Amino acid sequence: DSELGPIPEGCRVGKLGELCNILGSGGTPTTTKVEYYGDKYDWFTTKELQDTFLLSSEKKISEAGLNNSSAKLFPKNSVLIAIYAAPTVGRLGILSHEGTFNQATCGLYANENSSNEFLFLYLLNERRNLNNLASGAAQQNLNVGIIKNYLVLCPDKITNKKFADTVKPLFEEIEVNIKKQANLLKQKKSLLKFLIK
């Protein structure tokens, strides 16, 4: 028995924060400073989180924008979760390369006790429960504290390694296919422009 009900022998109940090397929200450089925006770093907003890999953001920020805001650079494979406002709250994304995001998003990067794939699938499975924890009169919000302290079933090291070894290649294959699809769409648009001329 545990706070989460019956759990397998060898597992324990922990908090999501215990499974992360990095866990935190992003930030938005002030829009009045043109020099804070550019083409150096992808900067994702919650509407871009669609429960899949994030290849490229609609807006990008500069080095100055990163250094003069609360935006943080997160590594490739970090898991992003929208924490502000329905209907995006709880939506997920995975960075296909290092990037940053706004304050309405929380980023997580797994430590040696877990994997980014596990974090993604766990948050996806827990979306309804997390949304029930959202609070706010005008809009339903989560916050970094809720994510950090959210209870999670922590498998033993052997099970965790077997899970990661099984699931990681599947995620890598999904990412490759998504990149191929994006490339084909780009080629299609280029061809259509050529044909219209």
Side-chain angles (χ1 to χ4, degrees):
D1 289 334
S2 75
E3 302 99 310
L4 298 177
I7 62 174
E9 187 176 350
C11 295
R12 66 178 182 84
V13 174
K15 296 178 180 179
L16 272 175
E18 297 174 34
L19 303 182
C20 299
N21 261 337
I22 312 171
L23 192 157
S25 61
T28 301
T30 179
T31 55
T32 58
K33 300 277 189 179
V34 178
E35 64 270 23
Y36 287 177
Y37 291 84
D39 59 1
K40 182 151 190 181
Y41 300 112
D42 277 305
W43 180 76
F44 293 96
T45 61
T46 53
K47 69 177 182 179
E48 297 174 88
L49 305 183
Q50 299 293 331
D51 298 335
T52 188
F53 283 92
L54 299 164
L55 305 184
S56 181
S57 60
E58 290 181 10
K59 290 184 178 180
K60 300 184 192 307
I61 63 173
S62 64
E63 190 78 44
L66 181 67
N67 294 334
N68 292 281
S69 72
S70 56
K72 306 168 192 72
L73 200 58
F74 271 63
K76 172 181 168 61
N77 292 326
S78 294
V79 177
L80 309 187
I81 180 170
I83 56 175
Y84 288 178
T88 57
V89 65
R91 285 187 191 168
L92 302 167
I94 304 173
L95 293 177
S96 63
H97 52 272
E98 69 173 5
T100 186
F101 42 88
N102 68 6
Q103 70 278 5
T105 306
C106 178
L108 304 91
Y109 189 80
N111 59 28
E112 68 280 358
N113 297 315
S114 186
S115 66
N116 292 306
E117 295 77 19
F118 176 83
L119 294 177
F120 177 87
L121 293 172
Y122 191 79
L123 289 169
L124 184 64
N125 186 66
E126 292 295 307
R127 177 175 289 161
R128 180 175 292 181
N129 292 331
L130 281 165
N131 285 353
N132 287 338
L133 292 176
S135 61
Q139 59 183 18
Q140 299 302 303
N141 296 336
L142 294 169
N143 60 55
V144 172
I146 288 174
I147 301 298
K148 184 177 182 180
N149 293 303
Y150 193 75
L151 295 182
V152 58
L153 177 63
C154 302
D156 60 84
K157 288 185 178 181
I158 294 174
T159 304
N160 181 56
K161 186 177 186 311
K162 284 183 179 179
F163 177 86
D165 290 346
T166 302
V167 175
K168 190 173 181 63
L170 300 176
F171 272 66
E172 289 173 347
E173 187 175 346
I174 291 169
E175 182 180 9
V176 167
N177 288 335
I178 288 171
K179 286 180 176 178
K180 284 181 180 178
Q181 183 183 36
N183 190 45
L184 287 171
L185 286 171
K186 187 177 179 181
Q187 290 180 29
K188 179 183 175 182
K189 287 180 181 178
S190 296
L191 286 171
L192 285 174
K193 285 181 182 178
F194 177 77
L195 291 171
I196 289 171
K197 289 179 182 179

